[in-house]
Amino acid sequence: MSTLRDLAEEHTRLRPADIDHLHRIAGDWQLLSDLSFADLLLWVPVDGDGAFLCVAQVRPTTAPTAYLDDQVGRIVGGPEVAHLEVAHRQGRIWREGDPVWYGDVPARHEAIPVRLRTTDGEAGEVIAVVGRDTNLSTARTPSQLELNYLTTADDLAQMIADGTFPPPRHPGETTSAPRVGDGLVRLDAGGKVTYASPNAQSAYRRLGYASHLVGEDLAALHRRLASDPLEGTDAANGILAALRGEAPPRREIDARGATMLTRALPLMPAGVPIGALVLVRDITEVRRRDRALITKDATIREIHHRVKNNLQTVAALLRLQARRVSMPEARIALEESVRRVASIALVHETLSMSSDEAVEFDGIVDRVASAATEVAATEATVGMRREGSFGVLPAEVATSLVMVLNELLLNAVEHGFPPPAEPADPTGPGTSAPAEPDGAGLAGPEAVGPARSAAGAEGPEGTGPVAPEVVVSAHRFRKMLHVSVTDNGRGLPPDFDAERGGNLGLQIVRALVTGELRGTIELRDGAKGGTEATLVVPLVRNESRSAG
């Protein structure tokens, strides 16, 4: 289904400002639909042929719909849109005419012209028409609530025709609450309550006001009820602003342990202030849950902070122990453990500063890559580069993935680019023979052939060696994360076994990828030399937070 903007741009000559105004109407017209007990359809004239195109539709929550089928995208002309043509051409609300039938459903047509006011505040030309179509199959004698709803709906419809509804939206505000069914209060020009719906009366009763609202000065009542005098003054000033024709931001009132959200709208049909419409909603339980979530989030962040501190302490102890060990193999093993613990600490450090159990992973990868080049035991200057984006990952994926990348990056830097004078010796550079063989490049220096220089792989003929580089790339496709770590070093040995070969680091990588991450990993020679490790990690189990 095409969007309002797509349909308008394809079939009309409406300006961007006109389309933005139609978007504002469609974002706030559930209020008018509920007050009218009617479907609202937004029609725009189609260029050149006298037809109208429906670009948006909303159904009432207070009455049955007049349309079982969606009307968006439908183009109609001829007698069927005569009422729309009158409203568009004459710029007035059209209410005359007999009921029409849609299958077995009788409906009453109305048409409301839509104007966008000019920059100097004057009523502009008609840019669209709102069709208000009421299902008459359940028509009955209206109650007092319904009469007040319909009267208020007529005032708002006139304001649409004047170009004064909807009011400008304040930054950060949404249109989700409060709604008509939550509670409605109508005020006269002096700020006195002329009608309060039963739900509105109940909301004020929870704030401690037991009397009937009709006849009360609502602004003064807000001042008396609010536990915080400043909050009460703000709520009262919002009511007074609406009575002056302004559109104040929504306010909350706290009293006796209850919380109520209020939204005040000016009523100005034909530009004359006649009062205000105040929508209220009891949000006591919502705010209670919000406070509980804030407390929970703060606790979780504190836990991550303490885990990070503990991991850093463990890393520091391992580092001290490594300095006291005389055996080179033991010192290397301890230093590798320090780096592994530090990489996990990075994830918990990021989580301790986040309000969600998810992390922006690109920054973590960049820090791990930088650390790999600083601590790797190699004389070569290896460049690090990241292509693509990992995006936001859940904590359980990020913790395992950062260890995997840490191992792959360290192997690529340390074993893919040995010192220039290093012989082709499987025991590794500058150390005594390790307890177990390593592999080459990303796999470690296991039984390699002729070693390449620390400058990296040879470039095209006549250009000499290229600069040593490791590239980490990532992209998402069909809820899978695809990652590759590629170096341009000396590559894998001819007899390397991708399933069983490699050092302890590669064994950790395979265990994490196939176990914790439920993914796959493949080690192979790069297309242009060097070594390439590719990972595929599913993200379906955390779709709501990590799907790209």
Side-chain angles (χ1 to χ4, degrees):
M1 178 63 68
S2 298
T3 64
L4 186 159
R5 186 176 298 276
D6 293 336
L7 291 170
E9 290 178 347
E10 180 180 354
H11 296 280
T12 75
R13 297 181 182 179
L14 292 175
R15 300 165 300 177
D18 298 333
I19 298 175
D20 289 341
H21 184 63
L22 298 184
H23 266 292
R24 286 193 296 272
I25 290 177
D28 227 349
W29 67 349
Q30 184 70 59
L31 169 64
L32 178 58
S33 177
D34 290 342
L35 290 171
S36 302
F37 307 100
D39 291 76
L40 300 183
L41 288 79
L42 186 56
W43 298 94
V44 294
V46 178
D47 292 338
D49 55 8
F52 283 81
L53 166 68
C54 181
V55 295
Q57 177 183 1
V58 64
R59 294 179 172 88
T61 61
T62 52
T65 180
Y67 299 97
L68 296 179
D69 298 326
D70 199 274
Q71 303 296 303
V72 175
R74 183 181 174 215
I75 298 177
V76 294
E80 192 174 352
V81 296
H83 62 299
L84 303 178
E85 179 63 30
V86 171
H88 183 263
R89 186 178 65 254
Q90 298 182 10
R92 66 176 180 86
I93 297 178
W94 185 94
R95 290 194 174 96
E96 53 267 27
D98 298 326
V100 296
W101 290 81
Y102 296 108
D104 297 332
V105 178
R108 180 177 63 246
H109 271 331
E110 296 179 70
I112 306 165
V114 176
R115 283 188 175 88
L116 173 62
R117 300 188 76 83
T118 61
T119 54
D120 57 4
E122 297 296 326
E125 62 181 4
V126 177
I127 60 174
V129 178
V130 171
R132 182 163 59 167
D133 300 338
T134 306
N135 185 332
L136 299 178
S137 61
T138 58
R140 63 183 186 276
T141 302
S143 64
Q144 185 183 11
L145 179 145
E146 292 169 335
L147 289 173
N148 277 277
Y149 277 20
L150 292 171
T151 300
T152 305
D154 288 342
D155 292 334
L156 294 179
Q158 184 59 54
M159 292 172 66
I160 288 180
D162 298 336
T164 56
F165 184 87
R169 188 176 302 170
H170 295 272
E173 282 192 343
T174 64
T175 59
S176 59
R179 293 190 174 186
V180 170
D182 297 323
L184 177 144
V185 179
R186 180 168 176 132
L187 308 180
D188 61 18
K192 299 292 183 66
V193 177
T194 60
Y195 175 77
S197 70
N199 284 345
Q201 191 71 53
S202 297
Y204 277 93
R205 188 170 288 114
R206 290 204 66 178
L207 294 180
Y209 185 74
S211 302
H212 204 278
L213 285 168
V214 173
E216 281 291 330
D217 185 327
L218 197 62
L221 179 62
H222 283 184
R223 289 193 184 94
R224 296 200 308 269
L225 290 178
S227 301
D228 184 348
L230 181 60
E231 185 180 84
T233 300
D234 287 342
N237 289 340
I239 300 294
L240 298 176
L243 294 172
R244 294 193 301 267
E246 303 171 13
R250 299 167 199 196
R251 308 286 187 183
E252 291 186 10
I253 302 176
D254 291 294
R256 298 192 177 187
T259 305
M260 186 174 70
L261 176 65
T262 67
R263 182 190 184 191
L265 294 169
L267 295 177
M268 300 177 57
V272 179
I274 63 170
L277 174 67
V278 181
L279 300 173
V280 300
R281 181 186 179 187
D282 181 2
I283 58 170
T284 304
E285 296 305 318
V286 174
R287 288 294 171 260
R288 186 172 299 166
R289 288 195 296 268
D290 287 346
R291 288 191 290 270
L293 287 174
I294 290 173
T295 302
K296 179 182 177 182
D297 289 342
T299 302
I300 292 174
R301 288 197 298 272
E302 178 62 21
I303 290 173
H304 284 302
H305 179 72
R306 295 188 181 187
V307 170
K308 183 263 297 183
N309 288 343
N310 291 339
L311 289 172
Q312 289 179 337
T313 300
V314 171
L317 292 174
L318 291 172
R319 192 177 294 110
L320 287 174
Q321 186 66 36
R323 293 172 182 171
R324 295 174 180 268
V325 172
S326 58
M327 294 180 61
E329 297 89 342
R331 184 172 62 255
I332 292 173
L334 288 172
E335 289 174 349
E336 288 178 349
S337 298
V338 168
R339 292 193 287 267
R340 288 164 185 154
V341 172
S343 66
I344 300 175
L346 275 178
V347 176
H348 287 281
E349 180 182 5
T350 305
L351 288 169
S352 70
M353 298 181 289
S354 171
S355 60
D356 192 9
E357 282 295 285
V359 294
E360 182 64 50
F361 202 68
D362 290 346
I364 294 177
V365 173
D366 293 343
R367 292 175 66 179
V368 169
S370 177
T373 60
E374 293 174 359
V375 303
T378 178
E379 297 179 5
T381 301
V382 181
M384 285 283 183
R385 179 162 54 89
R386 174 173 56 81
E387 295 179 348
S389 174
F390 288 82
V392 177
L393 297 179
E396 60 268 28
V397 173
T399 303
S400 298
L401 186 58
V402 73
M403 286 194 65
V404 169
L405 292 177
N406 179 64
E407 297 295 333
L408 293 177
L409 289 169
L410 284 171
N411 270 329
V413 174
E414 289 187 341
H415 305 310
F417 308 100
E422 182 194 23
D425 187 344
T427 61
T431 66
S432 59
E436 61 182 28
D438 284 337
L442 287 165
E446 177 185 281
V448 297
R452 301 184 188 185
S453 72
E458 292 293 328
E461 185 175 352
T463 62
V466 297
E469 184 179 51
V470 179
V471 179
V472 182
S473 63
H475 73 277
R476 298 185 182 209
F477 180 70
R478 294 182 178 175
K479 300 178 183 178
M480 304 289 284
L481 178 64
H482 298 256
V483 183
S484 69
V485 179
T486 307
D487 67 61
N488 59 355
R490 57 183 178 178
L492 293 170
D495 57 348
F496 178 76
D497 188 337
E499 294 298 325
R500 292 183 296 274
N503 56 10
L504 175 62
L506 282 181
Q507 295 173 20
I508 293 175
V509 166
R510 290 193 190 96
L512 288 173
V513 172
T514 59
E516 295 296 323
L517 296 176
R518 295 187 295 181
T520 61
I521 181 170
E522 180 183 356
L523 286 171
R524 58 176 177 266
D525 288 321
K528 298 180 180 180
T531 308
E532 180 179 11
T534 59
L535 296 81
V536 180
V537 178
L539 299 172
V540 176
R541 57 182 172 176
N542 295 285
E543 178 181 350
S544 62
R545 290 185 299 179
S546 63

